Amino acid sequence: MEFAFTQEQEMIRDTAAAFLKDASTSAAIRAAMESDLGYSPELWQRICAEMYWQALHIPEEYGGMGLGYVELVAVLEQMGRYLLCSPYLATVGMATNALLIAASDSQKAAILPQLIEGKTATVAFNGGRSVWDASAVTATYRRESNEFTLNGDYRYVLDGHSADYLILAAREEGSRGDEGLSLFVCAGDSAGIQRSRLATMDQSRRQATIQLKDLRLPESSVMGELGTGAKPLAKILDLATIALAAEQAGGMQQILDITVDYTKSRSQFGRTIAGFQAIKHKAADMMLRNEVARSAVYYAACVADDALCAGPLASELAEAASIAKSYCSEGYFKNTGEALQMHGGVGFTWEYDVHLYFKRAKASEHFLGSSSYHRERVAVMLLDTAC
Amino acid sequence: MKLQFSPQDEAFRSEIAGWLADNLVGEFAQLKFRGGPGDEHMFPEERKRWERKLAEGGWTCVGWPQEYGGRGLPIEQQVIFFEEYARAGAPGRMGHIGEGLTGPTLIAFGSEEQKKKYLPGVLAGTEFWCQGYSEPSAGSDLANVKTKARFDEASGKWIVNGQKVWTSLAHESEYCFVIARTDPDSKAHKGLGFFLIKMDQPGVTVRPIEQITGTSEFNEVFFDDAECDASDIVGLPGEGWKVAMGLLGYERGVSTLGQQMAFQNEFNEVVALAKENGAAQDPVIRQRLADAHIGLKIMRYNSMRMLSGNSGDGSLQKEALIYKLYWATWHRDLGELAMDILGAEADILLDAPYELNRLQSLFLFTRSDTIYGGTNQIQRNIIAERGLGMPKELRPPQN
Ligand SMILES: Cc1cc2nc3c(=O)[nH]c(=O)nc-3n(C[C@H](O)[C@H](O)[C@H](O)COP(=O)(O)OP(=O)(O)OC[C@H]3O[C@@H](n4cnc5c(N)ncnc54)[C@H](O)[C@@H]3O)c2cc1C
């Protein structure tokens, strides 16, 4: 047992922190927020060329770095901390995992190297309900000899309007639940796909709707065995959930730091407000939630590592993901809410960054399942077993 | 970063689990799951015998350095020891204050003479200790102690006068460590001494205090010209605060490690109850149970993270500041959840006049977790001041 970052992992984290502190400044975030794309393509290219984070956990045989989920989480935490606007969560935290888990060798060989070059990708699966498993999939496919025709709608697709590649979950017409589910991979601009950006309260991350109108895909676009997509989809979503939780934990750290600094600089009644116990105690609770969130995320990262390489903890993936997401979702939002309160009037302004974190916290709380959604998942594991 | 224990650690796990399975039998079988907080009044004699049994097996003071008779186990194996101990349902330790607090303090700050005199009794499970810190006007404000110790040149002894309160297990202890004022004109944390006092002497009176549970685990302790030898002060007169604070570091550190597993046993009981009486169908109860499970799981990873990369000297990293506030609050909430799962049945006692069932006792006793060892408010002050560098509380001018 050495439940701490190794020196190499610490280096990855510190390098990420230093780079993002410089690159993802308040001005940079605001510029990205105002663009249609939602991120700076130059910064994304720098990340891919200089930092190589997009390749972090892609195996070496496809040109990746062959590192693990713990390293990925170390970087994601810093991205959340500096509120990076980028297609990283969609491309790496979702689509790359989908390819690693479900794609054939030839699909991997065709697409992973392109992602390493800086192309983006995302996973579309949810037809617009607040559930985050196979039952959310409403798009359908029909087989016609060697071709598939897909129809239906997706909502909440991260970077869906701009991603170069789409991984689509669809179900055989007439199927339900886990039955008849398949994953397809295709180019984002294929004929039959209509995508449009959704206006979002959290402007630091883009979401899109995607409509499929008789999208025709060849046999070679099917990922894995036809009709058995529910299991890999569950795993993809669990891994994405852990990635998102890591971002949340990073955001929690930053909002705490920003807030404590602010309370030390603001004076009222002849002393800094940081000296008032009502403020100190809120900050202490924030630090507690912060540290606890981190323990949950690092544990989940170790489990995710095992899940990707069939290690001993692989079977704990769903539980670990739910533990991390339920804790981080609530903790991040609480902390940003307290931060807003502790900033007083300036916390309510567009000019200060507090609202950016506050909105990101609310948006990531619900994406991939809220605290209560994940608690119910845990409750099923805990309570609905025999005995 | 890795979660798995090494093969040597796992072998150690089997060794301790095997020893407990072989020895927690016969007269000791009745002690299973007994004698934790809220149940300390049960089976004191039998549990003291159990301490001797543990000592014979070499299972007391496993974290102490070998030169003082301990096993010098690395942190991982200490974790495993505490986990297996709790998993087996082995009884609450009568020796935990001596082992977890007195021993490490003497090893760090004591003289050779003190180590020779006091450590063997703790190791052997024959001498028990209590902690004489709190006083009627010194709880959270511990530096406000009034108990006085005066050195009497004629007899060559320290003479102690004053009153302690909330002293857990004082009535079962051979010794008490006491902070008292060596300089009568001093204030706050200056001018204190740290004394090792024998309980069985004419100047010491122990009076049980009845608790919220109707039972008595803590006491008032009165010192009226109680004596101890010149050599029974740890550190120099005036240095007592340093020693006392060093000790609180241990209290917050490794000695609370085994908790999660004991909490797990309690939690399992609560889950079983919810399944049995149908509360597990209630959506709100389901959420709370899941939340408690999540909280407990994370508690384990919290402590593993805090202990990783640690120097092994009992001092923990900054993250560890949150630990007491976290577990105390979690445990208190578990007590409430247990009552809410029992529903109307929660109010019905096992028997008159006031025989509580285990969950009622859990509910009532866990309220103390957020009070002793530094209240939740004091913990938050510590986190804000030491963890976040926020300004210290205003204190009255000293001296
Ligand atoms: C079951 C149990 C066992 C115990 N065992 C022992 C033992 O063996 N030995 C021993 O020495 N002591 C023991 N204690 C005593 C324990 O350490 C004290 O009760 C504790 O430190 C709190 O002190 P107090 O009771 O005087 O409360 P007070 O200090 O009077 O506190 C009352 C309230 O005021 C709040 N408060 C006080 N100061 C501040 C502040 N600066 N900022 C904000 N809020 C504040 C507290 O949080 C609390 O809510 C035990 C207590 C219990 C309940």
Side-chain angles (χ1 to χ4, degrees), chain A residues 1-3 264 277 280-281 285 291 295 319 372 375-376 384, chain B residues 4 286-287 293 302 305 308-309 319 380-381 385 388 391 393:
Chain A
M1 178 197 88
E2 188 55 35
F3 192 38
K264 286 178 184 170
Q277 208 173 63
K280 284 166 71 177
H281 284 194
D285 285 339
E291 295 300 336
S295 298
E319 190 191 17
S372 55
R375 274 198 292 267
E376 175 55 27
D384 298 349
Chain B
Q4 289 89 338
R286 288 173 74 79
Q287 287 277 315
H293 172 77
N302 264 341
R305 192 155 73 85
S308 293
E319 298 91 273
R380 289 188 174 97
N381 284 348
E385 290 167 17
L388 299 170
E393 290 299 283

PDB file of all heavy atoms in Angstrom, chain A residues 1-3 264 277 280-281 285 291 295 319 372 375-376 384, chain B residues 4 286-287 293 302 305 308-309 319 380-381 385 388 391 393:
ATOM      1  N   MET A   1       0.834  -1.199   0.000  1.00  0.00           N
ATOM      2  CA  MET A   1       0.000   0.000   0.000  1.00  0.00           C
ATOM      3  C   MET A   1       0.871   1.252   0.000  1.00  0.00           C
ATOM      4  O   MET A   1       1.679   1.446   0.886  1.00  0.00           O
ATOM      5  CB  MET A   1      -0.867   0.006   1.267  1.00  0.00           C
ATOM      6  CG  MET A   1      -1.734   1.243   1.390  1.00  0.00           C
ATOM      7  SD  MET A   1      -2.370   1.485   3.062  1.00  0.00           S
ATOM      8  CE  MET A   1      -1.065   2.437   3.827  1.00  0.00           C
ATOM      9  N   GLU A   2       0.759   2.072  -0.994  1.00  0.00           N
ATOM     10  CA  GLU A   2       1.376   3.405  -0.980  1.00  0.00           C
ATOM     11  C   GLU A   2       0.389   4.289  -1.714  1.00  0.00           C
ATOM     12  O   GLU A   2       0.520   4.534  -2.912  1.00  0.00           O
ATOM     13  CB  GLU A   2       2.758   3.368  -1.637  1.00  0.00           C
ATOM     14  CG  GLU A   2       3.552   4.656  -1.498  1.00  0.00           C
ATOM     15  CD  GLU A   2       3.734   5.148  -0.053  1.00  0.00           C
ATOM     16  OE1 GLU A   2       3.864   4.310   0.857  1.00  0.00           O
ATOM     17  OE2 GLU A   2       3.735   6.370   0.152  1.00  0.00           O
ATOM     18  N   PHE A   3      -0.619   4.736  -0.971  1.00  0.00           N
ATOM     19  CA  PHE A   3      -1.746   5.425  -1.579  1.00  0.00           C
ATOM     20  C   PHE A   3      -1.417   6.906  -1.725  1.00  0.00           C
ATOM     21  O   PHE A   3      -2.065   7.770  -1.155  1.00  0.00           O
ATOM     22  CB  PHE A   3      -2.985   5.182  -0.712  1.00  0.00           C
ATOM     23  CG  PHE A   3      -4.277   5.598  -1.368  1.00  0.00           C
ATOM     24  CD1 PHE A   3      -4.495   5.399  -2.714  1.00  0.00           C
ATOM     25  CD2 PHE A   3      -5.288   6.179  -0.620  1.00  0.00           C
ATOM     26  CE1 PHE A   3      -5.686   5.773  -3.311  1.00  0.00           C
ATOM     27  CE2 PHE A   3      -6.485   6.563  -1.199  1.00  0.00           C
ATOM     28  CZ  PHE A   3      -6.674   6.357  -2.552  1.00  0.00           C
ATOM     29  N   LYS A 264      -8.670  36.725   3.223  1.00  0.00           N
ATOM     30  CA  LYS A 264      -7.502  37.299   3.897  1.00  0.00           C
ATOM     31  C   LYS A 264      -7.251  38.732   3.436  1.00  0.00           C
ATOM     32  O   LYS A 264      -6.558  39.488   4.108  1.00  0.00           O
ATOM     33  CB  LYS A 264      -6.264  36.449   3.622  1.00  0.00           C
ATOM     34  CG  LYS A 264      -6.257  35.119   4.386  1.00  0.00           C
ATOM     35  CD  LYS A 264      -5.020  34.315   4.014  1.00  0.00           C
ATOM     36  CE  LYS A 264      -5.020  32.956   4.673  1.00  0.00           C
ATOM     37  NZ  LYS A 264      -3.958  32.087   4.152  1.00  0.00           N
ATOM     38  N   GLN A 277     -14.931  33.656  12.889  1.00  0.00           N
ATOM     39  CA  GLN A 277     -15.110  32.205  12.969  1.00  0.00           C
ATOM     40  C   GLN A 277     -16.166  31.674  11.985  1.00  0.00           C
ATOM     41  O   GLN A 277     -16.022  30.587  11.454  1.00  0.00           O
ATOM     42  CB  GLN A 277     -15.477  31.821  14.393  1.00  0.00           C
ATOM     43  CG  GLN A 277     -15.022  30.433  14.712  1.00  0.00           C
ATOM     44  CD  GLN A 277     -15.230  30.109  16.158  1.00  0.00           C
ATOM     45  OE1 GLN A 277     -16.354  30.078  16.640  1.00  0.00           O
ATOM     46  NE2 GLN A 277     -14.150  29.857  16.856  1.00  0.00           N
ATOM     47  N   LYS A 280     -14.145  31.204   8.998  1.00  0.00           N
ATOM     48  CA  LYS A 280     -13.141  30.138   9.146  1.00  0.00           C
ATOM     49  C   LYS A 280     -13.794  28.767   9.110  1.00  0.00           C
ATOM     50  O   LYS A 280     -13.270  27.824   8.518  1.00  0.00           O
ATOM     51  CB  LYS A 280     -12.392  30.305  10.475  1.00  0.00           C
ATOM     52  CG  LYS A 280     -11.362  31.408  10.455  1.00  0.00           C
ATOM     53  CD  LYS A 280     -10.889  31.765  11.843  1.00  0.00           C
ATOM     54  CE  LYS A 280     -10.018  30.681  12.460  1.00  0.00           C
ATOM     55  NZ  LYS A 280      -9.525  31.100  13.791  1.00  0.00           N
ATOM     56  N   HIS A 281     -14.916  28.655   9.785  1.00  0.00           N
ATOM     57  CA  HIS A 281     -15.539  27.333   9.866  1.00  0.00           C
ATOM     58  C   HIS A 281     -16.087  26.874   8.520  1.00  0.00           C
ATOM     59  O   HIS A 281     -16.023  25.703   8.181  1.00  0.00           O
ATOM     60  CB  HIS A 281     -16.611  27.326  10.954  1.00  0.00           C
ATOM     61  CG  HIS A 281     -15.997  27.278  12.324  1.00  0.00           C
ATOM     62  ND1 HIS A 281     -16.702  26.982  13.462  1.00  0.00           N
ATOM     63  CD2 HIS A 281     -14.722  27.474  12.736  1.00  0.00           C
ATOM     64  CE1 HIS A 281     -15.893  27.014  14.522  1.00  0.00           C
ATOM     65  NE2 HIS A 281     -14.696  27.312  14.092  1.00  0.00           N
ATOM     66  N   ASP A 285     -14.771  23.517   6.559  1.00  0.00           N
ATOM     67  CA  ASP A 285     -15.651  22.504   5.963  1.00  0.00           C
ATOM     68  C   ASP A 285     -15.335  22.327   4.477  1.00  0.00           C
ATOM     69  O   ASP A 285     -15.393  21.212   3.953  1.00  0.00           O
ATOM     70  CB  ASP A 285     -17.121  22.904   6.135  1.00  0.00           C
ATOM     71  CG  ASP A 285     -17.607  22.682   7.567  1.00  0.00           C
ATOM     72  OD1 ASP A 285     -16.975  21.874   8.283  1.00  0.00           O
ATOM     73  OD2 ASP A 285     -18.587  23.311   7.963  1.00  0.00           O
ATOM     74  N   GLU A 291     -10.560  17.413   0.651  1.00  0.00           N
ATOM     75  CA  GLU A 291      -9.652  16.287   0.895  1.00  0.00           C
ATOM     76  C   GLU A 291     -10.392  14.969   0.730  1.00  0.00           C
ATOM     77  O   GLU A 291      -9.843  13.989   0.213  1.00  0.00           O
ATOM     78  CB  GLU A 291      -9.032  16.374   2.295  1.00  0.00           C
ATOM     79  CG  GLU A 291      -8.123  17.560   2.501  1.00  0.00           C
ATOM     80  CD  GLU A 291      -6.939  17.578   1.545  1.00  0.00           C
ATOM     81  OE1 GLU A 291      -6.539  16.504   1.044  1.00  0.00           O
ATOM     82  OE2 GLU A 291      -6.422  18.681   1.269  1.00  0.00           O
ATOM     83  N   SER A 295      -9.652  11.825  -1.876  1.00  0.00           N
ATOM     84  CA  SER A 295      -9.475  10.402  -1.512  1.00  0.00           C
ATOM     85  C   SER A 295     -10.391   9.539  -2.372  1.00  0.00           C
ATOM     86  O   SER A 295      -9.989   8.479  -2.858  1.00  0.00           O
ATOM     87  CB  SER A 295      -9.813  10.163  -0.034  1.00  0.00           C
ATOM     88  OG  SER A 295      -8.953  10.900   0.795  1.00  0.00           O
ATOM     89  N   GLU A 319     -19.099   0.783  -8.428  1.00  0.00           N
ATOM     90  CA  GLU A 319     -19.238   1.346  -7.087  1.00  0.00           C
ATOM     91  C   GLU A 319     -18.278   2.518  -6.882  1.00  0.00           C
ATOM     92  O   GLU A 319     -18.664   3.568  -6.362  1.00  0.00           O
ATOM     93  CB  GLU A 319     -18.994   0.265  -6.023  1.00  0.00           C
ATOM     94  CG  GLU A 319     -19.381   0.763  -4.651  1.00  0.00           C
ATOM     95  CD  GLU A 319     -18.925  -0.147  -3.511  1.00  0.00           C
ATOM     96  OE1 GLU A 319     -18.039  -1.004  -3.724  1.00  0.00           O
ATOM     97  OE2 GLU A 319     -19.447   0.028  -2.402  1.00  0.00           O
ATOM     98  N   SER A 372     -27.732  12.030  -5.965  1.00  0.00           N
ATOM     99  CA  SER A 372     -28.778  11.087  -5.554  1.00  0.00           C
ATOM    100  C   SER A 372     -28.896   9.940  -6.553  1.00  0.00           C
ATOM    101  O   SER A 372     -29.166   8.797  -6.166  1.00  0.00           O
ATOM    102  CB  SER A 372     -30.111  11.794  -5.335  1.00  0.00           C
ATOM    103  OG  SER A 372     -30.475  12.514  -6.470  1.00  0.00           O
ATOM    104  N   ARG A 375     -26.124   7.669  -5.555  1.00  0.00           N
ATOM    105  CA  ARG A 375     -26.412   7.016  -4.264  1.00  0.00           C
ATOM    106  C   ARG A 375     -27.402   5.878  -4.457  1.00  0.00           C
ATOM    107  O   ARG A 375     -27.272   4.823  -3.846  1.00  0.00           O
ATOM    108  CB  ARG A 375     -26.949   8.040  -3.262  1.00  0.00           C
ATOM    109  CG  ARG A 375     -25.861   8.762  -2.524  1.00  0.00           C
ATOM    110  CD  ARG A 375     -26.399   9.425  -1.265  1.00  0.00           C
ATOM    111  NE  ARG A 375     -27.286  10.511  -1.587  1.00  0.00           N
ATOM    112  CZ  ARG A 375     -26.900  11.778  -1.703  1.00  0.00           C
ATOM    113  NH1 ARG A 375     -25.648  12.106  -1.490  1.00  0.00           N
ATOM    114  NH2 ARG A 375     -27.762  12.716  -2.004  1.00  0.00           N
ATOM    115  N   GLU A 376     -28.370   6.087  -5.323  1.00  0.00           N
ATOM    116  CA  GLU A 376     -29.334   5.010  -5.560  1.00  0.00           C
ATOM    117  C   GLU A 376     -28.634   3.810  -6.216  1.00  0.00           C
ATOM    118  O   GLU A 376     -28.939   2.670  -5.910  1.00  0.00           O
ATOM    119  CB  GLU A 376     -30.523   5.507  -6.389  1.00  0.00           C
ATOM    120  CG  GLU A 376     -31.542   4.433  -6.790  1.00  0.00           C
ATOM    121  CD  GLU A 376     -32.132   3.613  -5.635  1.00  0.00           C
ATOM    122  OE1 GLU A 376     -32.205   4.089  -4.487  1.00  0.00           O
ATOM    123  OE2 GLU A 376     -32.511   2.436  -5.903  1.00  0.00           O
ATOM    124  N   ASP A 384     -30.205  -4.334  -2.270  1.00  0.00           N
ATOM    125  CA  ASP A 384     -31.099  -5.190  -3.025  1.00  0.00           C
ATOM    126  C   ASP A 384     -30.474  -6.533  -3.365  1.00  0.00           C
ATOM    127  O   ASP A 384     -30.753  -7.122  -4.397  1.00  0.00           O
ATOM    128  CB  ASP A 384     -31.561  -4.470  -4.308  1.00  0.00           C
ATOM    129  CG  ASP A 384     -32.331  -3.207  -3.958  1.00  0.00           C
ATOM    130  OD1 ASP A 384     -32.669  -3.041  -2.775  1.00  0.00           O
ATOM    131  OD2 ASP A 384     -32.565  -2.394  -4.855  1.00  0.00           O
TER     132      ASP A 384
ATOM    133  N   GLN B   4      -3.255  -1.985  -3.111  1.00  0.00           N
ATOM    134  CA  GLN B   4      -3.068  -3.348  -2.637  1.00  0.00           C
ATOM    135  C   GLN B   4      -1.973  -3.421  -1.571  1.00  0.00           C
ATOM    136  O   GLN B   4      -1.011  -2.670  -1.596  1.00  0.00           O
ATOM    137  CB  GLN B   4      -2.677  -4.295  -3.790  1.00  0.00           C
ATOM    138  CG  GLN B   4      -3.796  -4.574  -4.747  1.00  0.00           C
ATOM    139  CD  GLN B   4      -3.833  -3.548  -5.879  1.00  0.00           C
ATOM    140  OE1 GLN B   4      -3.303  -2.449  -5.739  1.00  0.00           O
ATOM    141  NE2 GLN B   4      -4.454  -3.913  -6.982  1.00  0.00           N
ATOM    142  N   ARG B 286     -32.922   4.787   1.877  1.00  0.00           N
ATOM    143  CA  ARG B 286     -31.956   4.213   0.927  1.00  0.00           C
ATOM    144  C   ARG B 286     -30.842   5.205   0.637  1.00  0.00           C
ATOM    145  O   ARG B 286     -29.666   4.866   0.630  1.00  0.00           O
ATOM    146  CB  ARG B 286     -32.642   3.860  -0.399  1.00  0.00           C
ATOM    147  CG  ARG B 286     -33.551   2.677  -0.345  1.00  0.00           C
ATOM    148  CD  ARG B 286     -34.311   2.525  -1.657  1.00  0.00           C
ATOM    149  NE  ARG B 286     -33.482   2.014  -2.757  1.00  0.00           N
ATOM    150  CZ  ARG B 286     -33.165   0.736  -2.896  1.00  0.00           C
ATOM    151  NH1 ARG B 286     -33.570  -0.150  -2.020  1.00  0.00           N
ATOM    152  NH2 ARG B 286     -32.431   0.353  -3.921  1.00  0.00           N
ATOM    153  N   GLN B 287     -31.238   6.448   0.391  1.00  0.00           N
ATOM    154  CA  GLN B 287     -30.237   7.478   0.106  1.00  0.00           C
ATOM    155  C   GLN B 287     -29.293   7.651   1.291  1.00  0.00           C
ATOM    156  O   GLN B 287     -28.088   7.776   1.121  1.00  0.00           O
ATOM    157  CB  GLN B 287     -30.934   8.815  -0.185  1.00  0.00           C
ATOM    158  CG  GLN B 287     -31.632   8.868  -1.531  1.00  0.00           C
ATOM    159  CD  GLN B 287     -30.673   9.202  -2.671  1.00  0.00           C
ATOM    160  OE1 GLN B 287     -29.856  10.101  -2.570  1.00  0.00           O
ATOM    161  NE2 GLN B 287     -30.753   8.454  -3.755  1.00  0.00           N
ATOM    162  N   HIS B 293     -22.634   4.474   3.593  1.00  0.00           N
ATOM    163  CA  HIS B 293     -21.703   3.498   3.021  1.00  0.00           C
ATOM    164  C   HIS B 293     -20.579   4.209   2.274  1.00  0.00           C
ATOM    165  O   HIS B 293     -19.401   3.886   2.431  1.00  0.00           O
ATOM    166  CB  HIS B 293     -22.486   2.573   2.077  1.00  0.00           C
ATOM    167  CG  HIS B 293     -21.640   1.645   1.282  1.00  0.00           C
ATOM    168  ND1 HIS B 293     -21.072   0.508   1.826  1.00  0.00           N
ATOM    169  CD2 HIS B 293     -21.259   1.674  -0.007  1.00  0.00           C
ATOM    170  CE1 HIS B 293     -20.381  -0.114   0.886  1.00  0.00           C
ATOM    171  NE2 HIS B 293     -20.475   0.568  -0.243  1.00  0.00           N
ATOM    172  N   ASN B 302      -9.306   7.881   2.920  1.00  0.00           N
ATOM    173  CA  ASN B 302      -8.750   9.058   3.602  1.00  0.00           C
ATOM    174  C   ASN B 302      -7.570   8.669   4.468  1.00  0.00           C
ATOM    175  O   ASN B 302      -6.514   9.266   4.402  1.00  0.00           O
ATOM    176  CB  ASN B 302      -9.792   9.633   4.566  1.00  0.00           C
ATOM    177  CG  ASN B 302     -10.580  10.765   3.968  1.00  0.00           C
ATOM    178  OD1 ASN B 302     -10.165  11.372   3.000  1.00  0.00           O
ATOM    179  ND2 ASN B 302     -11.723  11.048   4.549  1.00  0.00           N
ATOM    180  N   ARG B 305      -4.550   7.409   2.622  1.00  0.00           N
ATOM    181  CA  ARG B 305      -3.837   8.497   1.957  1.00  0.00           C
ATOM    182  C   ARG B 305      -3.020   9.293   2.965  1.00  0.00           C
ATOM    183  O   ARG B 305      -1.884   9.666   2.713  1.00  0.00           O
ATOM    184  CB  ARG B 305      -4.842   9.411   1.259  1.00  0.00           C
ATOM    185  CG  ARG B 305      -4.221  10.399   0.309  1.00  0.00           C
ATOM    186  CD  ARG B 305      -5.213  10.813  -0.744  1.00  0.00           C
ATOM    187  NE  ARG B 305      -6.228  11.695  -0.240  1.00  0.00           N
ATOM    188  CZ  ARG B 305      -6.091  13.022  -0.139  1.00  0.00           C
ATOM    189  NH1 ARG B 305      -4.965  13.595  -0.490  1.00  0.00           N
ATOM    190  NH2 ARG B 305      -7.069  13.759   0.309  1.00  0.00           N
ATOM    191  N   SER B 308       0.015   7.289   3.993  1.00  0.00           N
ATOM    192  CA  SER B 308       1.005   7.020   2.953  1.00  0.00           C
ATOM    193  C   SER B 308       1.996   8.181   2.902  1.00  0.00           C
ATOM    194  O   SER B 308       1.638   9.320   3.144  1.00  0.00           O
ATOM    195  CB  SER B 308       0.325   6.878   1.590  1.00  0.00           C
ATOM    196  OG  SER B 308      -0.478   5.729   1.569  1.00  0.00           O
ATOM    197  N   GLY B 309       3.228   7.828   2.591  1.00  0.00           N
ATOM    198  CA  GLY B 309       4.247   8.864   2.469  1.00  0.00           C
ATOM    199  C   GLY B 309       4.514   9.544   3.792  1.00  0.00           C
ATOM    200  O   GLY B 309       5.048  10.637   3.863  1.00  0.00           O
ATOM    201  N   GLU B 319      -3.426  16.981   5.388  1.00  0.00           N
ATOM    202  CA  GLU B 319      -4.755  16.433   5.121  1.00  0.00           C
ATOM    203  C   GLU B 319      -5.351  15.797   6.375  1.00  0.00           C
ATOM    204  O   GLU B 319      -6.562  15.737   6.538  1.00  0.00           O
ATOM    205  CB  GLU B 319      -4.728  15.341   4.046  1.00  0.00           C
ATOM    206  CG  GLU B 319      -4.256  15.758   2.686  1.00  0.00           C
ATOM    207  CD  GLU B 319      -2.772  15.564   2.534  1.00  0.00           C
ATOM    208  OE1 GLU B 319      -2.051  16.508   2.911  1.00  0.00           O
ATOM    209  OE2 GLU B 319      -2.334  14.523   2.064  1.00  0.00           O
ATOM    210  N   ARG B 380     -12.573  22.647  13.548  1.00  0.00           N
ATOM    211  CA  ARG B 380     -12.650  23.599  12.429  1.00  0.00           C
ATOM    212  C   ARG B 380     -11.665  24.739  12.617  1.00  0.00           C
ATOM    213  O   ARG B 380     -11.057  25.211  11.650  1.00  0.00           O
ATOM    214  CB  ARG B 380     -14.071  24.143  12.294  1.00  0.00           C
ATOM    215  CG  ARG B 380     -15.046  23.112  11.765  1.00  0.00           C
ATOM    216  CD  ARG B 380     -16.406  23.736  11.450  1.00  0.00           C
ATOM    217  NE  ARG B 380     -17.275  22.768  10.811  1.00  0.00           N
ATOM    218  CZ  ARG B 380     -18.190  22.037  11.444  1.00  0.00           C
ATOM    219  NH1 ARG B 380     -18.387  22.185  12.748  1.00  0.00           N
ATOM    220  NH2 ARG B 380     -18.920  21.158  10.782  1.00  0.00           N
ATOM    221  N   ASN B 381     -11.496  25.183  13.866  1.00  0.00           N
ATOM    222  CA  ASN B 381     -10.477  26.208  14.105  1.00  0.00           C
ATOM    223  C   ASN B 381      -9.104  25.703  13.700  1.00  0.00           C
ATOM    224  O   ASN B 381      -8.329  26.408  13.054  1.00  0.00           O
ATOM    225  CB  ASN B 381     -10.444  26.606  15.585  1.00  0.00           C
ATOM    226  CG  ASN B 381     -11.607  27.502  15.976  1.00  0.00           C
ATOM    227  OD1 ASN B 381     -12.317  28.019  15.115  1.00  0.00           O
ATOM    228  ND2 ASN B 381     -11.813  27.672  17.267  1.00  0.00           N
ATOM    229  N   GLU B 385      -6.864  27.321  10.804  1.00  0.00           N
ATOM    230  CA  GLU B 385      -5.624  28.000  11.186  1.00  0.00           C
ATOM    231  C   GLU B 385      -4.398  27.272  10.658  1.00  0.00           C
ATOM    232  O   GLU B 385      -3.507  27.875  10.075  1.00  0.00           O
ATOM    233  CB  GLU B 385      -5.563  28.148  12.713  1.00  0.00           C
ATOM    234  CG  GLU B 385      -6.598  29.165  13.210  1.00  0.00           C
ATOM    235  CD  GLU B 385      -6.803  29.142  14.724  1.00  0.00           C
ATOM    236  OE1 GLU B 385      -5.945  28.579  15.446  1.00  0.00           O
ATOM    237  OE2 GLU B 385      -7.829  29.685  15.181  1.00  0.00           O
ATOM    238  N   LEU B 388      -5.227  26.164   6.565  1.00  0.00           N
ATOM    239  CA  LEU B 388      -5.488  27.209   5.570  1.00  0.00           C
ATOM    240  C   LEU B 388      -4.823  28.534   5.918  1.00  0.00           C
ATOM    241  O   LEU B 388      -4.981  29.521   5.196  1.00  0.00           O
ATOM    242  CB  LEU B 388      -7.005  27.418   5.419  1.00  0.00           C
ATOM    243  CG  LEU B 388      -7.779  26.185   4.932  1.00  0.00           C
ATOM    244  CD1 LEU B 388      -9.281  26.396   5.038  1.00  0.00           C
ATOM    245  CD2 LEU B 388      -7.399  25.859   3.485  1.00  0.00           C
ATOM    246  N   PRO B 391      -6.357  33.581  10.227  1.00  0.00           N
ATOM    247  CA  PRO B 391      -5.914  34.160  11.505  1.00  0.00           C
ATOM    248  C   PRO B 391      -6.346  33.337  12.721  1.00  0.00           C
ATOM    249  O   PRO B 391      -7.416  32.726  12.717  1.00  0.00           O
ATOM    250  CB  PRO B 391      -6.597  35.529  11.522  1.00  0.00           C
ATOM    251  CG  PRO B 391      -6.882  35.838  10.098  1.00  0.00           C
ATOM    252  CD  PRO B 391      -7.146  34.527   9.436  1.00  0.00           C
ATOM    253  N   GLU B 393      -7.588  32.512  16.564  1.00  0.00           N
ATOM    254  CA  GLU B 393      -8.635  33.072  17.425  1.00  0.00           C
ATOM    255  C   GLU B 393      -8.051  34.157  18.328  1.00  0.00           C
ATOM    256  O   GLU B 393      -6.895  34.054  18.752  1.00  0.00           O
ATOM    257  CB  GLU B 393      -9.200  31.966  18.325  1.00  0.00           C
ATOM    258  CG  GLU B 393     -10.009  30.935  17.584  1.00  0.00           C
ATOM    259  CD  GLU B 393     -11.211  31.538  16.904  1.00  0.00           C
ATOM    260  OE1 GLU B 393     -12.193  31.823  17.598  1.00  0.00           O
ATOM    261  OE2 GLU B 393     -11.160  31.754  15.686  1.00  0.00           O
TER     262      GLU B 393
END
